[in-house]
Amino acid sequence: MEQFLIERKEQAMKKVLVLEDESSIRSFIVINLRRAGYEVVEAETGEEALEKLKEHTDVRVALLDIMLPGIDGFEVCRRIRKAGNTPVMMLTAKGETFDKVLGLELGADDYMVKPFDAKEVTARIKAVLRRSSAKEEENKGVYDFDNLHLDMNRYELK
């Protein structure tokens, strides 16, 4: 039973939201992520992605296309950043420097241009999750109250 609970926790730690409007590309990404051991939540529109994020609060990373019907990937990224710290990766055909800089400035943790290699996408997701986990671990025991900052790791109160 304990092993089952550990495995469920690890799977939840590996849940990815894939926002891609082209079904063939989305299917390709989903198949490869599942083969790599990730649980995948799929969305076809920005609006659907935001709803899925509300439903699946344990999503560990969001993989976003930019050019979408309705709300675009940039706006989805903005809203994810406003709501919390879920890591965001852009995976898009928009490869101009302006678009890359905009995506990163809006809060994306990584930016990849199509066409892409599925193994590279998986490796970059692992890297983003590794950085995210390290940051979460570093922030344990750190509390802010109005003008007070308490760091239990360093035994500091400022």
Side-chain angles (χ1 to χ4, degrees), residues 17-21 26 41-56 64 68-71 76 79:
L17 170 76
V18 175
L19 170 57
E20 171 61 61
D21 61 327
R26 189 175 60 253
V41 177
E42 299 178 55
E44 201 170 328
T45 66
E47 294 86 353
E48 183 183 3
L50 294 170
E51 284 301 315
K52 297 262 177 140
L53 283 169
K54 287 178 188 173
E55 287 175 37
H56 300 272
L64 310 177
L68 302 163
I71 297 175
V76 173
R79 292 185 189 187

Side-chain angles (χ1 to χ4, degrees), residues 82-98:
K82 199 174 192 180
N85 294 323
T86 303
V88 174
M89 283 182 57
M90 299 293 204
L91 182 60
T92 179
K94 294 182 77 100
E96 297 296 318
T97 301
F98 172 80

Side-chain angles (χ1 to χ4, degrees), residues 88-91 104 107-112 124-125 127-128 131:
V88 174
M89 283 182 57
M90 299 293 204
L91 182 60
L104 294 168
D109 297 281
D110 201 354
Y111 194 106
M112 287 187 68
R124 286 179 183 242
I125 287 173
V128 165
R131 289 190 301 267

Side-chain angles (χ1 to χ4, degrees), residues 9-27:
K9 184 178 179 187
E10 286 176 0
Q11 280 183 333
M13 297 285 293
K14 297 175 86 178
K15 188 180 280 190
V16 178
L17 170 76
V18 175
L19 170 57
E20 171 61 61
D21 61 327
E22 291 185 42
S23 61
S24 60
I25 296 173
R26 189 175 60 253
S27 295

Side-chain angles (χ1 to χ4, degrees), residues 27-39:
S27 295
F28 177 71
I29 294 168
V30 169
I31 288 168
N32 283 285
L33 289 176
R34 286 188 176 144
R35 280 186 186 154
Y38 292 95
E39 185 178 342

